[in-house]
Amino acid sequence: MPHATPLIRFGVIADPQYAPLPPNLALNRYFANSLDKLDDAIATFNAQDLAFAVTLGDLIDRGYDNFDAVLARYTLLRHEKILLPGNHDFLVAPERLSQVHEKFSMPAAYHHFSRNGIRFVVIDGNEESLFSTPEGDPRRDRAAGRLKALTRAAAVNAQSWNGGVSEQQFAWLSRVLAEAAAAGEKVVVMGHYPLYPENEHNLWDWQRLVDLFERSGNVLAYLNGHNHAGNLGRHGSTWYVNFKGMVDTERENAFALAEVFADRLVITGFGREEGRVLPF
Protein backbone atom coordinates (compact mmCIF):
# COMPACT_ATOMS: atom_id res chain seq x y z
CA MET A 1 0.00 0.00 0.00
CA PRO A 2 1.70 3.28 -1.08
CA HIS A 3 2.25 5.88 1.61
CA ALA A 4 -0.30 8.65 1.11
CA THR A 5 1.39 11.56 2.87
CA PRO A 6 4.72 12.98 1.70
CA LEU A 7 7.46 13.53 4.24
CA ILE A 8 8.30 16.79 2.50
CA ARG A 9 7.37 18.83 -0.58
CA PHE A 10 9.58 21.42 -2.26
CA GLY A 11 9.96 23.33 -5.51
CA VAL A 12 12.80 22.87 -8.02
CA ILE A 13 14.15 25.25 -10.66
CA ALA A 14 17.27 24.73 -12.78
CA ASP A 15 19.21 27.15 -14.98
CA PRO A 16 17.13 30.32 -15.42
CA GLN A 17 20.37 31.82 -16.81
CA TYR A 18 18.93 35.33 -17.11
CA ALA A 19 20.68 38.14 -18.98
CA PRO A 20 19.32 41.07 -21.00
CA LEU A 21 20.79 39.57 -24.17
CA PRO A 22 19.47 38.48 -27.57
CA PRO A 23 18.63 34.76 -27.71
CA ASN A 24 21.20 32.17 -28.66
CA LEU A 25 19.21 30.51 -31.43
CA ALA A 26 21.76 27.73 -31.95
CA LEU A 27 21.25 26.60 -28.34
CA ASN A 28 17.57 27.64 -28.20
CA ARG A 29 18.23 29.80 -25.13
CA TYR A 30 16.15 32.92 -24.51
CA PHE A 31 17.97 34.61 -21.66
CA ALA A 32 15.75 37.67 -21.27
CA ASN A 33 12.56 35.57 -21.08
CA SER A 34 13.62 33.86 -17.86
CA LEU A 35 12.26 36.63 -15.63
CA ASP A 36 8.70 35.94 -16.77
CA LYS A 37 9.31 32.20 -16.41
CA LEU A 38 10.55 32.73 -12.86
CA ASP A 39 7.42 34.75 -12.07
CA ASP A 40 5.31 31.83 -13.32
CA ALA A 41 7.24 29.26 -11.28
CA ILE A 42 7.15 31.34 -8.10
CA ALA A 43 3.42 31.97 -8.45
CA THR A 44 2.91 28.20 -8.77
CA PHE A 45 5.09 27.53 -5.72
CA ASN A 46 3.27 30.17 -3.68
CA ALA A 47 -0.01 28.34 -4.28
CA GLN A 48 1.48 25.18 -2.72
CA ASP A 49 2.38 24.10 0.79
CA LEU A 50 6.16 23.72 0.46
CA ALA A 51 9.11 23.44 2.84
CA PHE A 52 11.36 25.42 0.47
CA ALA A 53 12.20 26.03 -3.19
CA VAL A 54 15.65 25.26 -4.54
CA THR A 55 17.33 26.69 -7.63
CA LEU A 56 20.09 24.39 -8.84
CA GLY A 57 22.47 26.98 -10.25
CA ASP A 58 22.97 29.35 -13.19
CA LEU A 59 20.64 32.11 -12.04
CA ILE A 60 22.35 34.34 -14.60
CA ASP A 61 24.14 33.79 -17.88
CA ARG A 62 26.79 36.39 -17.04
CA GLY A 63 27.30 39.81 -15.45
CA TYR A 64 27.15 40.42 -11.68
CA ASP A 65 24.64 43.26 -12.03
CA ASN A 66 22.12 40.82 -13.53
CA PHE A 67 21.74 39.06 -10.17
CA ASP A 68 19.61 41.94 -8.90
CA ALA A 69 16.83 41.43 -11.48
CA VAL A 70 16.71 37.70 -10.77
CA LEU A 71 16.85 37.96 -6.98
CA ALA A 72 14.07 40.57 -7.06
CA ARG A 73 11.79 37.81 -8.37
CA TYR A 74 12.58 35.65 -5.33
CA THR A 75 11.41 38.37 -2.93
CA LEU A 76 7.89 37.35 -4.00
CA LEU A 77 8.47 33.71 -2.96
CA ARG A 78 6.65 33.04 0.32
CA HIS A 79 8.73 29.93 1.04
CA GLU A 80 12.33 29.55 2.15
CA LYS A 81 14.65 29.80 -0.85
CA ILE A 82 17.73 27.63 -1.31
CA LEU A 83 20.13 28.97 -3.96
CA LEU A 84 23.39 27.50 -5.18
CA PRO A 85 25.62 28.77 -7.98
CA GLY A 86 26.45 27.15 -11.31
CA ASN A 87 29.30 27.85 -13.69
CA HIS A 88 27.57 30.82 -15.36
CA ASP A 89 27.09 32.56 -12.01
CA PHE A 90 30.87 33.07 -11.93
CA LEU A 91 31.03 34.80 -15.31
CA VAL A 92 31.51 38.11 -13.51
CA ALA A 93 34.35 40.57 -13.01
CA PRO A 94 37.30 38.96 -11.13
CA GLU A 95 36.83 41.22 -8.10
CA ARG A 96 33.25 39.92 -7.76
CA LEU A 97 34.07 36.20 -7.70
CA SER A 98 34.39 36.04 -3.93
CA GLN A 99 31.00 37.73 -3.49
CA VAL A 100 28.82 35.21 -5.34
CA HIS A 101 28.01 32.92 -2.40
CA GLU A 102 27.18 35.91 -0.21
CA LYS A 103 24.94 37.30 -2.97
CA PHE A 104 23.04 33.99 -2.84
CA SER A 105 22.66 34.31 0.98
CA MET A 106 24.36 30.94 1.39
CA PRO A 107 25.60 29.92 4.86
CA ALA A 108 28.64 28.37 3.14
CA ALA A 109 29.67 27.21 -0.32
CA TYR A 110 28.67 23.68 0.74
CA HIS A 111 26.39 22.95 3.66
CA HIS A 112 23.58 20.73 4.94
CA PHE A 113 20.29 21.07 6.79
CA SER A 114 17.52 18.78 8.03
CA ARG A 115 13.83 19.13 7.25
CA ASN A 116 11.14 16.67 8.34
CA GLY A 117 13.67 13.96 9.16
CA ILE A 118 15.51 14.19 5.82
CA ARG A 119 19.07 15.50 5.54
CA PHE A 120 19.55 17.82 2.56
CA VAL A 121 23.14 18.33 1.43
CA VAL A 122 24.25 21.12 -0.92
CA ILE A 123 27.58 20.42 -2.61
CA ASP A 124 29.86 22.88 -4.44
CA GLY A 125 30.94 21.54 -7.83
CA ASN A 126 32.50 24.89 -8.72
CA GLU A 127 35.08 24.67 -5.95
CA GLU A 128 37.97 23.60 -8.19
CA SER A 129 37.28 25.13 -11.60
CA LEU A 130 38.71 27.53 -14.15
CA PHE A 131 35.99 30.13 -13.52
CA SER A 132 35.17 30.39 -9.79
CA THR A 133 38.52 31.74 -8.58
CA PRO A 134 40.95 34.38 -9.91
CA GLU A 135 44.32 33.81 -11.53
CA GLY A 136 46.90 32.64 -9.02
CA ASP A 137 44.42 30.95 -6.67
CA PRO A 138 45.63 27.42 -5.75
CA ARG A 139 42.16 26.02 -6.49
CA ARG A 140 42.37 27.36 -10.03
CA ASP A 141 45.82 25.82 -10.45
CA ARG A 142 44.54 22.46 -9.21
CA ALA A 143 41.60 22.72 -11.62
CA ALA A 144 43.92 23.34 -14.57
CA GLY A 145 45.91 20.25 -13.64
CA ARG A 146 42.80 18.14 -13.22
CA LEU A 147 41.36 19.21 -16.56
CA LYS A 148 44.68 18.44 -18.26
CA ALA A 149 44.67 14.92 -16.77
CA LEU A 150 41.04 14.33 -17.81
CA THR A 151 41.83 15.54 -21.33
CA ARG A 152 44.80 13.17 -21.56
CA ALA A 153 42.50 10.35 -20.43
CA ALA A 154 39.98 11.34 -23.14
CA ALA A 155 37.26 11.72 -20.49
CA VAL A 156 33.95 12.81 -21.99
CA ASN A 157 33.51 15.41 -19.22
CA ALA A 158 36.94 16.99 -19.77
CA GLN A 159 35.27 20.35 -20.35
CA SER A 160 36.33 23.78 -19.12
CA TRP A 161 32.74 24.55 -18.13
CA ASN A 162 32.67 21.72 -15.58
CA GLY A 163 34.34 21.65 -12.19
CA GLY A 164 35.15 19.45 -9.24
CA VAL A 165 35.26 19.20 -5.46
CA SER A 166 38.33 19.42 -3.25
CA GLU A 167 39.65 16.63 -1.05
CA GLN A 168 38.45 18.69 1.91
CA GLN A 169 34.88 18.87 0.57
CA PHE A 170 34.85 15.16 -0.27
CA ALA A 171 35.92 14.31 3.30
CA TRP A 172 33.21 16.65 4.63
CA LEU A 173 30.57 14.99 2.44
CA SER A 174 31.65 11.55 3.63
CA ARG A 175 31.29 12.67 7.26
CA VAL A 176 27.86 14.23 6.69
CA LEU A 177 26.54 11.05 5.06
CA ALA A 178 27.93 8.94 7.90
CA GLU A 179 26.39 11.27 10.52
CA ALA A 180 23.03 11.10 8.75
CA ALA A 181 23.20 7.30 8.66
CA ALA A 182 24.00 7.19 12.39
CA ALA A 183 20.99 9.44 13.03
CA GLY A 184 18.74 7.23 10.89
CA GLU A 185 18.25 10.00 8.33
CA LYS A 186 17.79 9.52 4.62
CA VAL A 187 19.61 12.04 2.42
CA VAL A 188 18.88 14.16 -0.64
CA VAL A 189 21.97 15.74 -2.21
CA MET A 190 21.72 18.81 -4.46
CA GLY A 191 24.31 20.32 -6.78
CA HIS A 192 24.68 22.01 -10.14
CA TYR A 193 26.56 19.31 -12.07
CA PRO A 194 25.25 15.86 -13.07
CA LEU A 195 26.83 12.76 -11.56
CA TYR A 196 25.16 9.88 -13.36
CA PRO A 197 24.77 8.53 -16.06
CA GLU A 198 28.12 9.40 -17.65
CA ASN A 199 27.75 12.59 -19.66
CA GLU A 200 29.90 15.43 -21.00
CA HIS A 201 28.33 17.77 -18.42
CA ASN A 202 29.26 15.64 -15.40
CA LEU A 203 31.19 16.83 -12.38
CA TRP A 204 34.85 15.95 -12.81
CA ASP A 205 34.57 13.75 -9.68
CA TRP A 206 31.30 12.11 -10.68
CA GLN A 207 32.43 8.49 -10.34
CA ARG A 208 33.94 9.10 -6.91
CA LEU A 209 30.71 10.62 -5.58
CA VAL A 210 28.53 7.91 -7.14
CA ASP A 211 30.70 5.29 -5.44
CA LEU A 212 30.44 7.16 -2.13
CA PHE A 213 26.64 7.32 -2.36
CA GLU A 214 26.51 3.59 -3.11
CA ARG A 215 28.70 2.80 -0.09
CA SER A 216 26.64 5.08 2.15
CA GLY A 217 23.37 3.45 1.13
CA ASN A 218 21.21 6.27 2.53
CA VAL A 219 21.20 8.78 -0.37
CA LEU A 220 17.70 8.65 -1.84
CA ALA A 221 18.34 11.10 -4.66
CA TYR A 222 20.79 13.52 -6.20
CA LEU A 223 19.22 16.56 -7.89
CA ASN A 224 21.01 18.81 -10.40
CA GLY A 225 20.81 21.03 -13.46
CA HIS A 226 23.62 22.11 -15.88
CA ASN A 227 22.69 19.67 -18.66
CA HIS A 228 19.73 21.63 -20.03
CA ALA A 229 18.32 18.62 -21.88
CA GLY A 230 17.65 16.84 -18.57
CA ASN A 231 18.46 13.25 -17.70
CA LEU A 232 17.60 10.42 -15.31
CA GLY A 233 19.54 7.48 -13.95
CA ARG A 234 19.71 5.12 -11.03
CA HIS A 235 22.79 3.60 -9.47
CA GLY A 236 22.63 1.51 -6.33
CA SER A 237 19.79 2.88 -4.23
CA THR A 238 20.18 6.47 -5.48
CA TRP A 239 18.12 8.23 -8.16
CA TYR A 240 19.96 10.84 -10.22
CA VAL A 241 17.54 13.48 -11.50
CA ASN A 242 18.80 16.14 -13.93
CA PHE A 243 16.19 18.92 -14.28
CA LYS A 244 15.76 20.70 -17.60
CA GLY A 245 17.01 24.25 -18.15
CA MET A 246 14.40 26.99 -17.66
CA VAL A 247 16.24 29.27 -20.11
CA ASP A 248 15.68 26.94 -23.06
CA THR A 249 12.91 27.65 -25.61
CA GLU A 250 11.21 30.97 -26.22
CA ARG A 251 7.96 30.39 -24.32
CA GLU A 252 7.86 26.95 -22.65
CA ASN A 253 8.77 26.89 -19.00
CA ALA A 254 10.51 24.14 -17.03
CA PHE A 255 10.28 23.65 -13.26
CA ALA A 256 8.95 21.05 -10.84
CA LEU A 257 7.47 20.11 -7.50
CA ALA A 258 9.19 17.26 -5.65
CA GLU A 259 7.54 15.13 -2.98
CA VAL A 260 9.54 12.67 -0.90
CA PHE A 261 7.46 9.80 0.46
CA ALA A 262 8.76 6.95 2.60
CA ASP A 263 8.77 4.67 -0.44
CA ARG A 264 9.14 6.95 -3.49
CA LEU A 265 10.08 10.31 -4.97
CA VAL A 266 7.30 11.95 -6.98
CA ILE A 267 8.17 14.77 -9.37
CA THR A 268 5.38 16.86 -10.85
CA GLY A 269 6.75 18.63 -13.90
CA PHE A 270 5.56 21.89 -15.39
CA GLY A 271 6.12 22.91 -18.99
CA ARG A 272 8.95 20.86 -20.47
CA GLU A 273 9.84 19.18 -17.20
CA GLU A 274 8.71 15.55 -17.00
CA GLY A 275 6.61 14.03 -14.26
CA ARG A 276 8.11 10.95 -12.62
CA VAL A 277 7.37 8.41 -9.90
CA LEU A 278 10.67 6.97 -8.66
CA PRO A 279 10.36 4.10 -6.15
CA PHE A 280 12.92 3.71 -3.39
Side-chain angles (χ1 to χ4, degrees):
M1 184 85 174
H3 295 263
T5 305
L7 302 173
I8 196 166
R9 304 177 78 232
F10 56 95
V12 183
I13 294 170
D15 301 84
Q17 216 166 307
Y18 167 72
L21 295 171
N24 183 327
L25 298 178
L27 295 176
N28 201 17
R29 292 179 186 173
Y30 290 77
F31 311 104
N33 295 6
S34 286
L35 295 183
D36 287 343
K37 293 179 181 180
L38 279 169
D39 287 344
D40 179 33
I42 287 169
T44 301
F45 293 162
N46 283 345
Q48 305 286 330
D49 181 18
L50 304 178
F52 59 84
V54 61
T55 302
L56 298 166
D58 282 1
L59 272 73
I60 60 167
D61 182 71
R62 69 194 74 176
Y64 190 85
D65 290 346
N66 291 326
F67 282 129
D68 290 339
V70 175
L71 293 174
R73 264 49 196 184
Y74 286 91
T75 63
L76 301 175
L77 179 69
R78 71 180 184 90
H79 308 294
E80 178 184 6
K81 68 178 186 296
I82 307 294
L83 304 176
L84 59 102
N87 52 310
H88 279 270
D89 295 312
F90 291 98
L91 298 185
V92 298
E95 63 271 17
R96 295 288 198 179
L97 289 172
S98 63
Q99 301 171 21
V100 171
H101 294 106
E102 183 181 357
K103 191 73 172 175
F104 282 33
S105 302
M106 299 179 70
Y110 48 92
H111 60 98
H112 61 96
F113 57 92
S114 294
R115 296 285 185 279
N116 297 22
I118 298 172
R119 185 80 60 102
F120 288 88
V121 182
V122 175
I123 64 170
D124 178 19
N126 307 297
E127 185 181 21
E128 294 190 351
S129 68
L130 298 180
F131 42 81
S132 65
T133 49
E135 294 280 357
D137 190 293
R139 290 170 294 174
R140 189 184 181 102
D141 295 339
R142 286 196 296 272
R146 294 180 66 178
L147 181 56
K148 197 171 185 179
L150 286 166
T151 302
R152 278 199 306 265
V156 69
N157 65 330
Q159 309 291 343
S160 61
W161 28 263
N162 295 331
V165 304
S166 66
E167 289 293 334
Q168 180 180 358
Q169 184 179 171
F170 185 83
W172 169 87
L173 178 59
S174 301
R175 287 196 302 272
V176 171
L177 296 184
E179 289 167 5
E185 291 179 325
K186 296 296 185 181
V187 179
V188 174
V189 183
M190 304 184 291
H192 182 61
Y193 301 91
L195 298 182
Y196 185 86
E198 186 173 14
N199 183 274
E200 66 176 348
H201 295 86
N202 279 16
L203 188 78
W204 288 343
D205 319 80
W206 71 272
Q207 186 68 66
R208 193 179 187 195
L209 268 67
V210 167
D211 291 346
L212 172 63
F213 293 174
E214 183 176 21
R215 289 196 305 273
S216 298
N218 61 337
V219 180
L220 299 175
Y222 174 77
L223 313 179
N224 67 273
H226 191 52
N227 176 7
H228 293 205
N231 210 345
L232 178 70
R234 193 179 195 185
H235 188 278
S237 57
T238 304
W239 285 103
Y240 294 84
V241 187
N242 187 154
F243 291 88
K244 296 180 189 293
M246 178 179 275
V247 70
D248 294 52
T249 77
E250 184 175 10
R251 298 292 171 206
E252 278 193 285
N253 213 337
F255 61 95
L257 294 173
E259 296 175 290
V260 181
F261 293 81
D263 60 349
R264 67 197 185 278
L265 170 63
V266 176
I267 295 168
T268 302
F270 294 81
R272 293 164 36 251
E273 190 56 64
E274 298 174 45
R276 309 180 190 276
V277 178
L278 307 175
F280 298 141

